[in-house]
Structure formats: C-alpha cells, structure tokens
Amino acid sequence: MSEAMQKVPVLIVGGGPVGLALAAELGWQGVRCLLIEQGDGVVKTPKMNEVNTRSMEFCRRWGIAEQVLDTPFPLSWPKDVVFMTTLSGYELGRVKRPPRQIRASEHSPEYTQTCSQHWFDPILQRFARSFPNVTLHYRCRFESYEESANGIVATVIDLASGARETIAAHYLVGCDGATSAVRRASGIALAGKGLLGHAVNMFFRAPRLLEICGKEPGTFFVPVDRGGVWANLRIIDPANALWRLMVNETHSDTRIESVDKAAYLRRALGRDLAVEWVDINIWRRQSVLAESYGSGRVFLAGDAVHQVSPTGALGMNTGLGDAIDLGWKLAARLQGWGGPKLLASYDRERRPAGARAVGSATQFHALQSGWGDGLEALDEIGAASDALRQRISDVLVNQVGREFRTMGLQLGYCYEDSPICIADGTPPLPDDPETYQPSARPGGRAPHVWLSPPDSNGGRSTLDLFGRGFTLLCFGNASDGDVFQNAAAARHLPLDIIHINERAIGNAYEGKLVLVRPDGHVAWRSDAPPRDVGASLDLVTGF
Ligand SMILES: Cc1cc2nc3c(=O)[nH]c(=O)nc-3n(C[C@H](O)[C@H](O)[C@H](O)COP(=O)(O)OP(=O)(O)OC[C@H]3O[C@@H](n4cnc5c(N)ncnc54)[C@H](O)[C@@H]3O)c2cc1C
C-alpha cells in the first residue's frame, strides 16, 4: 500500500467467503471497495462444502453459477447421506439426494451444490477481482478503528513489511469470522447457548475407499454405534480420494498431537486401513448470535455475527445472505438512491434470519445426541439385531436426516418486521424448515417460475429479472408502470418495469403489481398503484 492514507468508500475486513461475496456484490454494483485479509487467501482444506440453493441463486444472479458446477466434484456422483454401523458394516438408512447434474429444483432454477471451500473461495476471489473497483489485499491485518461523523479511519498492519498504516473509508464491514476484531472493537457482544463442544476434523487420502469397504457411492457417511451418532465421513474430492473424518466431540483440552487418528478411523471404517493423512484441526461448535449487526458506519456479517453448528449447512450460506442484503444497501446509499434509514434495515432484516439459522442448526445438532443406549447389538448378526437396525433406520432417516431436508429454511425466510417492506395484510406463512411454500408476500423471496421452459442450456426464471436496481412486475395495466417509472426517475432510483402476460407467473405472484428489490425480496405488492407512489418508493429505499 502507498505511504499516503488510502481512502475507499467501503473497507471490508476478512477474505473468507462472506467478505469475498460482499466485495463481489459491491464490485458488481459498481462500488469501489478494499478487502483486507490477514492470510494469503489459499484454502488448504475446506470447512464449508455445501453451497445451498439460495446461495446458488446468488451465484446465478452474478453469472458465476456455471463455475460452481464446473468444479472437479463429479457431476454424476450421488449426494446421498448414508447412515451405517461402520463404512464396512451394515447400511442403516440412506437419505437420497440427487447428483450435482440435477441443476434445478421444483422451487428454484438452481439446486444445492457440493462445492468445497478450496474450490468455492477461489471462484469468489476471481469474480471479485474481475471488477477494477475491487482490491483484495492479502497478508494485511485490521487492528482498530475510529469513527467520526464523516467516516472511519482504520489502522492496519501490512504483515509482509510490518508497516502500520491507516485507511479512511465511508463504511467499515467486519467479515472477519468468529473472533472478529471489528466486532470486539465496536463493543458488540455475542449471546446464546455458547459453546456446544469441540470437534476434530481429520483429512486423509484413501483411493478406492468405498470399493474396499463395500459401500455404494454417497457423499456423507454417518457411523452409528454404541456411542450413538459420533462422527461423519465426507468425501471432499473423489478424483483425488480426499476424505474428511469429523469426530463430533473431543475433550476441551484435547491437543492435535494427542488425537489418535488411526483409532478414530478404525472405528469409522470398521477395519484397519493405511491412509495418507493430510491435515487435522480442532474447532469449536458454537451457537451464538451478535446482539447487533452494526450501526452508524460499521457493520458485521457472516460468522462475525452468527456462529452455528455445521448441521444444516447454514453457516456460510446465511453469511452470503448477509453480504447480498448489506451489499445492495451500501451501493444504494453511496450512489445516492438509498436514504438515511436504509442501512439500519440491515440489522432488522438479517438478525432475525441469523437467529433462525442459529436456532435450526442447534436443533439439528441436538437430534444427533443421546443415541448410545441400547445399541450394543447394532452390528451383530441375528433377527433381534435386524429388528433393532430397522427401528433405528427409521429414526435416523426421519429425525437425524432432517438437517438434509431444508428447502423451507433456505428459501422461506421472510423479513417480517422490515422497516423497508410494505406489508399487504396477508398473514405470515408457516415457517417449516423442510417445506418451502412459494409466496410473493412482501418481505419474502420472490418466487421462481420459468419464463421459458428449461432445456439443456437451462432456461429463464423470474429470478433472472431481478438485478442491481428495483424491478416492477406488471401483470395488469401497462399505464400503471408509467406512474412508477416517473416517480423513480424523479428520485434517480434504478427501476426496471417488466410487463408479464403469463398466467402461471401472475398466479404465483398474486398481485397485479409486484415491486422486487435488488436482492430478489418483495418490497411491496398490490392490484393497483398506491395513492402516493413516490412516498412508497421512498419508504422501500430508506428515505
Ligand atoms: C466443519 C465445518 C463444516 C462446514 N460446512 C458448511 C457448509 O457446508 N455450508 C455452510 O454454509 N457453512 C459451513 N460451515 C460454516 C462456514 O465454514 C462458515 O460459516 C464460513 O466460513 C464463514 O465465513 P466468513 O467469511 O464469515 O468467516 P471465515 O470463513 O472465518 O473468514 C474470516 C476471515 O477473516 C480473516 N480475519 C480474521 N481477523 C482478521 C483481521 N483482524 N484482519 C484481517 N483479516 C482477518 C480470517 O483470516 C478469515 O480468512 C462449516 C463449518 C465447519 C467448521
């Protein structure tokens, strides 16, 4: 960095997936930003592996969904979840999940993809870097900041040179993970159940492991024995035979050097096998939410504000939702079409979404506990053990397996009490984690309906209509759109008016006029324009 103090509109601290997504969103929206990251940006072994359907929709919105599909995890590989006594033992039940080549789901033009972080983060890095207004600065650590009425000044250390430097910005966003220095510097506390336990991740290479152990392909294998649901085995990279064994619980004082990897592996595989150990780490399973997502000129996103058990794959995926929500609001504010109340809506919308993710992930984790009793004969031959396995199978697939059926959680969140959405008097829908009920109710995600039928090149979805500015879908009088267009033009608000005649889409949206935000959430809907269109546009943009 140069000697003179740098000045940027937005300074992002942390180059994990959430910081990268925010940088990408700002770049895509035409906003200049600087991201600083203390590490070198290389992901050696992944934490995150599942990019869920909603996150894939964000990738589609940015035009990078194809890149996620193009990663080395084979498209035809089944994503099944398999409960078993050991990898060489009895299969107890299977949660069927389609392979990656199934691109769309009933409610989305995209589908959850297995794309581990050592592939996903570089896609986000490349995408963010493709914008000349985005700078990613690695080996640079945030230390502290001071805030004034005009902006913030952050002190950072360039770890390569050791030099301490200052950066001035209009806004500071901490995407710096669980131990967030920005959160601590802003005095924001975490609340919740806290520490749920310590887990250990062991990465190894084992060619032909499934063949050796006699199991049909799947992606996630859960051994169950007299210790209950005690671990899981995930195939990370089939082409390179890379696996991860995660042991759910170790003692709080366990040190990496004292972990008996071979013993854990023998227990999971049900046999001895020589493998190439690649990496090991111990991590804290937390259930916490920040008391605030920021205020003034300082905001927080991702693990800095919500730390969840990985059960349900809601960590990064919730963080990407934060990045999109905050990203368009910062862009609107900096470009002048967002009002002074817009940024305060970030906390009001995303904190309940974070609470929902923390609560759900914690419940999924609890479903794995308390399984040990009465399972001594689970791996034995005989009618009594057959019956025990059958009984356990139902519970495993239907209860423990719930964390793999989360379409409601992924797509069904609604910003109920948002100050920038205009309620239409319809009652809230049931918030069922498993089942998503499409609805264009204000606050919710605008539903997906195909505009053109999907073919081998995909198809066009209603979701493809939403973008950097607002979109008004008109199912009725063409002249209604003109009223909005004039009011938007007077406010320099980017607004696309789209006239749609297709009945299926009109039925799904249930209103002749539906105003959709840049993040694809519905801001307002009705059968006729409001009496004061300008006042409504002001409200949904935070004026
Ligand atoms: C075993 C496991 C499996 C998981 N699987 C999934 C999954 O399948 N799907 C899912 O959605 N989530 C999953 N998660 C959760 C997911 O990994 C996290 O939610 C996600 O990584 C959070 O992203 P983030 O960018 O907020 O934070 P992080 O990934 O923690 O990134 C924060 C970055 O900030 C940097 N940083 C910190 N302090 C500073 C500083 N002072 N200055 C500069 N840089 C700093 C750090 O170096 C780091 O790179 C999993 C987690 C675990 C542990």
Side-chain angles (χ1 to χ4, degrees):
M1 280 189 275
S2 65
E3 293 278 306
M5 182 159 75
Q6 285 206 64
K7 291 188 180 146
V8 282
V10 184
L11 173 63
I12 301 168
V13 179
V18 176
L20 289 169
L22 179 60
E25 174 69 12
L26 290 172
W28 190 73
Q29 294 273 4
V31 172
R32 199 157 62 81
C33 65
L34 167 66
L35 179 153
I36 58 167
E37 159 61 47
Q38 63 187 1
D40 60 7
V42 175
V43 180
K44 189 176 160 207
T45 46
K47 290 192 285 185
M48 182 291 295
N49 301 284
E50 300 255 322
V51 182
N52 79 12
T53 302
R54 186 62 180 138
S55 295
M56 285 303 296
E57 291 177 354
F58 296 144
C59 291
R60 180 184 182 94
R61 175 173 170 276
W62 289 326
I64 59 171
E66 295 298 334
Q67 294 179 37
V68 181
L69 279 149
D70 201 25
T71 42
F73 199 96
L75 283 180
S76 58
W77 194 278
K79 289 196 302 219
D80 293 2
V81 177
V82 182
F83 296 99
M84 65 210 187
T85 53
T86 66
L87 199 64
S88 310
Y90 289 98
E91 183 164 319
L92 299 169
R94 200 171 259 262
V95 179
K96 284 276 186 197
R97 299 197 301 170
R100 297 176 69 224
Q101 69 205 12
I102 305 296
R103 174 79 184 263
S105 57
E106 186 189 355
H107 298 301
S108 173
E110 298 294 335
Y111 196 71
T112 298
Q113 293 295 330
T114 302
C115 179
S116 299
Q117 212 166 345
H118 59 309
W119 297 319
F120 190 65
D121 282 17
I123 292 173
L124 291 179
Q125 268 167 15
R126 271 198 307 278
F127 180 56
R129 276 207 174 104
S130 70
F131 301 102
N133 47 358
V134 174
T135 305
L136 308 183
H137 185 72
Y138 286 92
R139 306 277 297 132
C140 180
R141 178 176 294 142
F142 165 88
E143 289 234 299
S144 61
Y145 74 89
E146 283 179 19
E147 184 172 359
S148 70
N150 300 325
I152 64 101
V153 175
T155 303
V156 306
I157 297 189
D158 187 313
L159 296 175
S161 65
R164 185 166 268 114
E165 299 172 18
T166 49
I167 302 171
H170 289 294
Y171 297 103
L172 167 68
V173 188
C175 302
D176 45 349
T179 56
S180 174
V182 178
R183 188 189 63 232
R184 280 182 279 124
S186 54
I188 294 174
L190 296 171
K193 281 182 186 291
L195 184 70
L196 300 180
H198 291 84
V200 55
N201 279 355
M202 292 161 269
F203 294 86
F204 61 94
R205 279 186 221 288
R208 298 177 33 252
L209 181 60
L210 289 172
E211 201 183 314
I212 292 168
C213 295
K215 281 282 169 300
E216 291 295 315
T219 298
F220 201 75
F221 296 84
V222 185
V224 184
D225 62 18
R226 65 188 62 194
V229 176
W230 65 277
N232 60 69
L233 269 165
R234 172 183 272 281
I235 186 151
I236 305 273
D237 181 358
N240 288 301
L242 181 65
W243 288 80
R244 181 199 71 200
L245 172 61
M246 178 200 292
V247 173
N248 291 344
E249 191 63 75
T250 61
H251 294 293
S252 56
D253 56 358
T254 302
R255 299 172 66 86
I256 283 178
E257 311 79 60
S258 65
V259 173
D260 190 344
K261 302 190 288 282
Y264 280 136
L265 189 66
R266 189 180 315 117
R267 183 174 166 197
L269 302 187
R271 65 195 303 153
D272 281 315
L273 190 75
V275 301
E276 178 198 344
W277 293 105
V278 173
D279 197 10
I280 177 167
N281 53 65
I282 294 174
W283 52 276
R284 291 157 60 86
R285 192 186 300 270
Q286 294 260 97
S287 175
V288 287
L289 183 71
E291 287 178 339
S292 158
Y293 275 29
S295 62
R297 294 181 173 275
V298 182
F299 299 93
L300 301 162
D303 276 19
V305 277
H306 44 77
Q307 290 153 42
V308 304
S309 166
T311 37
L314 296 167
M316 177 202 76
N317 287 310
T318 305
L320 291 196
D322 301 341
I324 298 286
D325 188 279
L326 183 59
W328 79 262
K329 290 172 181 172
L330 285 171
R333 197 75 188 106
L334 287 160
Q335 290 165 356
W337 52 275
K341 295 185 228 157
L342 187 60
L343 289 170
S345 71
Y346 169 62
D347 177 281
R348 295 278 297 276
E349 294 186 342
R350 291 307 300 173
R351 209 169 155 268
R356 184 174 179 262
V358 172
S360 304
T362 308
Q363 276 176 15
F364 292 144
H365 174 62
L367 290 171
Q368 296 188 346
S369 308
W371 273 89
D373 292 346
L375 299 188
E376 289 76 12
L378 196 63
D379 212 7
E380 289 176 9
I381 298 170
S385 292
D386 284 344
L388 176 62
R389 283 190 285 273
Q390 183 57 53
R391 189 161 49 78
I392 289 295
S393 164
D394 291 344
V395 186
L396 286 169
V397 171
N398 296 322
Q399 292 298 319
V400 181
R402 279 176 53 202
E403 66 163 294
F404 304 102
R405 297 184 290 268
T406 57
M407 204 49 98
L409 270 177
Q410 295 180 45
L411 304 183
Y413 58 89
C414 186
Y415 300 140
E416 286 300 338
D417 297 318
S418 170
I420 59 161
C421 292
I422 304 174
D424 67 356
T426 53
L429 297 169
D431 190 10
D432 178 354
E434 205 158 312
T435 311
Y436 165 69
Q437 198 173 322
S439 165
R441 212 169 146 263
R445 159 192 166 277
H448 149 74
V449 185
W450 288 116
L451 294 166
S452 57
D455 55 25
S456 53
N457 296 318
R460 268 195 100 217
S461 159
T462 43
L463 271 51
D464 300 330
L465 301 173
F466 316 135
R468 292 173 175 82
F470 274 71
T471 306
L472 182 74
L473 302 181
C474 286
F475 299 96
N477 287 338
S479 58
D480 287 347
D482 298 342
V483 189
F484 277 85
Q485 192 71 82
N486 294 337
R491 288 162 175 75
H492 305 289
L493 167 67
L495 175 71
D496 280 341
I497 312 273
I498 298 184
H499 298 277
I500 299 182
N501 289 322
E502 289 174 50
R503 186 183 296 252
I505 303 176
N507 289 345
Y509 277 74
E510 292 181 309
K512 290 204 167 61
L513 294 163
V514 183
L515 185 64
V516 184
R517 317 187 318 182
D519 58 358
H521 281 254
V522 176
W524 168 88
R525 77 171 167 181
S526 183
D527 283 333
R531 202 170 319 135
D532 186 343
V533 173
S536 294
L537 291 182
D538 286 344
L539 192 148
V540 300
T541 49
F543 279 99

